[in-house]
Amino acid sequence: MDKCRKKPQKTTSKATRKTTPKAVAKRAENAATKRPVTALDGAAAERIANALEVIASRLADASPALDPAETFGAADAFVWHPDGRLAPVPRVSRVEISLLKGVDRMRDILMENTERFANGLPANNALLWGARGMGKSSLVKAVHASINIDRRPADRLKLIEIHREDIESLPGLMEGLLRSSSFRFIVFCDDLSFDGNDASYKSLKAVLEGGIEGRPDNVILYATSNRRHLLAREMIENERSTAINPGEAVEEKVSLSDRFGLWLGFHRCSQDEYLAMVKGYCDHYGIKIADGELEREALEWSTTRGSRSGRVAWQYTQELAGRLGVRLSGN
């Protein structure tokens, strides 16, 4: 009886089909040879598109890097990314240097330092520190633009912004791209400061003055900060109170600011300086309002903000221009 029993037939149901990659590929090949392909369904088209994107990405990765000379010739300002990219900035957000009021001394010093550097003469790294909203970063960008006004393309000064959180990649930027270039560069870090156990300041110290090679001759570093020593006061006091040798511990941290040869302090502006800023903006952009009304509104605006600064003056100017229907061209 058992010998006569028929062997069970193999089924080809979906439940018993092999699902190994080789089996799936074989079935797809057989199906393609049995029926003509007349159209692609949505899923197939999407798979093909994804495959083409992967191929294009790999080809882009394999392509040779751009010539640094060609890259730097594309713009006067760039933003540095820690993955090795320099993103050109065709239009820098800045204000005219003539509109920066109450910072005449700092403006003249920074302009002279920058012009010497642009002409190939010795110049200092600069730390612009002090009250917030007083035009520290605006001054750096305005000075850079002023220096380049009458320069030939080959002699134009390049501005490269590096974000605070990317400071550790600064040595790679210096050695990988800038040192060998024929252009001259301002590397600019806005709102630079260090907190807690952040040790990335050591990378900045090495770039500014340390190392065997030192800072490239064609690079200068400008930084802005609300803190004179780039560190919070409580951070310095904590070092004094907890370190075995308080003097050495504090010296290690505050020595970073000493690497900047030029310190420019920005302090809160007076009422007259604040009003001069507002009037300067209104004259520049053609905003018509009676002087008495302008002063009253501008002072009320600063009172509600709790401070007087260039930033507050600009914010009031934007509010006034919007209310009066005046467009701020170039903003």
Side-chain angles (χ1 to χ4, degrees), residues 89-93 329-331:
V89 181
R91 179 176 176 272
V92 177
S93 176
S329 58
N331 178 32

Side-chain angles (χ1 to χ4, degrees), residues 250-297:
V250 173
E251 185 69 20
E252 164 68 13
K253 293 188 178 296
V254 302
S255 64
L256 172 60
S257 58
D258 290 340
R259 305 295 176 100
F260 292 89
L262 192 61
W263 284 11
L264 299 177
F266 289 69
H267 307 286
R268 297 186 183 279
C269 62
S270 66
Q271 177 173 300
D272 290 341
E273 289 171 335
Y274 168 72
L275 291 174
M277 294 173 187
V278 174
K279 291 177 181 178
Y281 283 133
C282 289
D283 291 342
H284 181 76
Y285 292 108
I287 302 173
K288 305 298 183 181
I289 184 173
D291 289 345
E293 185 178 0
L294 177 65
E295 290 186 7
R296 179 182 58 79
E297 286 192 5

Side-chain angles (χ1 to χ4, degrees), residues 189-202:
C189 184
D190 191 21
D191 197 19
L192 179 62
S193 61
F194 301 93
D195 294 299
N197 296 320
D198 188 352
S200 60
Y201 71 92
K202 294 181 179 179

Side-chain angles (χ1 to χ4, degrees), residues 22-315:
K22 185 175 181 180
V24 172
K26 185 64 176 177
R27 286 199 298 272
E29 180 181 353
N30 293 338
T33 57
K34 291 180 180 179
R35 60 182 177 85
V37 178
T38 57
L40 292 173
D41 58 18
E46 184 177 357
R47 287 195 298 271
I48 292 174
N50 291 338
L52 291 174
E53 288 180 1
V54 171
I55 294 171
S57 176
R58 289 177 178 174
L59 289 174
D61 292 340
S63 61
L66 289 176
D67 180 7
E70 180 180 346
T71 301
F72 294 134
D76 286 339
F78 302 83
V79 175
W80 167 252
H81 295 276
D83 60 1
R85 291 183 299 116
L86 274 174
V89 181
R91 179 176 176 272
V92 177
S93 176
R94 61 179 181 85
V95 298
E96 298 292 334
I97 198 167
S98 61
L99 296 178
L100 298 176
K101 307 293 184 181
V103 294
D104 295 357
R105 177 177 171 274
M106 288 73 78
R107 177 200 63 205
D108 293 343
I109 294 174
L110 190 66
M111 178 69 80
E112 182 182 354
N113 189 71
T114 309
E115 193 163 15
R116 287 202 306 262
F117 172 72
N119 291 331
L121 297 173
N124 277 307
N125 300 312
L127 174 62
L128 290 71
W129 66 277
R132 66 184 188 275
M134 281 304 298
K136 297 185 291 295
S137 60
S138 295
L139 181 58
V140 172
K141 292 182 285 187
V143 165
H144 168 254
S146 298
I147 292 293
N148 278 343
I149 287 179
D150 298 322
R151 290 183 175 269
R152 298 181 298 112
D155 297 331
R156 294 176 74 84
L157 196 59
K158 305 299 179 179
L159 180 68
I160 298 179
E161 182 176 18
I162 182 171
H163 297 140
R164 154 68 191 86
E165 57 272 18
D166 299 330
I167 282 295
E168 289 185 335
S169 67
L170 186 55
L173 168 64
M174 295 284 200
E175 301 305 324
L177 292 174
L178 305 189
R179 186 182 290 274
S180 61
S181 176
S182 60
F183 287 103
R184 303 183 73 79
F185 304 92
I186 298 174
V187 176
F188 171 51
C189 184
D190 191 21
D191 197 19
L192 179 62
S193 61
F194 301 93
D195 294 299
N197 296 320
D198 188 352
S200 60
Y201 71 92
K202 294 181 179 179
S203 298
L204 182 56
K205 285 177 65 175
V207 166
L208 288 173
E209 295 294 343
I212 296 176
E213 293 182 310
R215 172 171 57 87
D217 292 335
N218 63 333
V219 177
I220 200 169
L221 194 137
Y222 287 175
T224 69
S225 178
N226 296 332
R227 303 166 178 172
R228 182 173 183 176
H229 292 293
L230 304 175
L231 306 169
R233 181 178 296 276
E234 58 270 20
M235 186 176 171
I236 297 175
E237 294 300 329
N238 183 62
E239 290 287 354
R240 285 197 176 100
S241 62
T242 60
I244 296 176
N245 190 325
E248 290 184 1
V250 173
E251 185 69 20
E252 164 68 13
K253 293 188 178 296
V254 302
S255 64
L256 172 60
S257 58
D258 290 340
R259 305 295 176 100
F260 292 89
L262 192 61
W263 284 11
L264 299 177
F266 289 69
H267 307 286
R268 297 186 183 279
C269 62
S270 66
Q271 177 173 300
D272 290 341
E273 289 171 335
Y274 168 72
L275 291 174
M277 294 173 187
V278 174
K279 291 177 181 178
Y281 283 133
C282 289
D283 291 342
H284 181 76
Y285 292 108
I287 302 173
K288 305 298 183 181
I289 184 173
D291 289 345
E293 185 178 0
L294 177 65
E295 290 186 7
R296 179 182 58 79
E297 286 192 5
L299 292 175
E300 181 180 354
W301 182 274
S302 68
T303 301
T304 60
R305 298 303 180 277
S307 67
R308 293 189 296 264
S309 69
R311 182 178 297 143
V312 173
W314 174 244
Q315 290 169 346

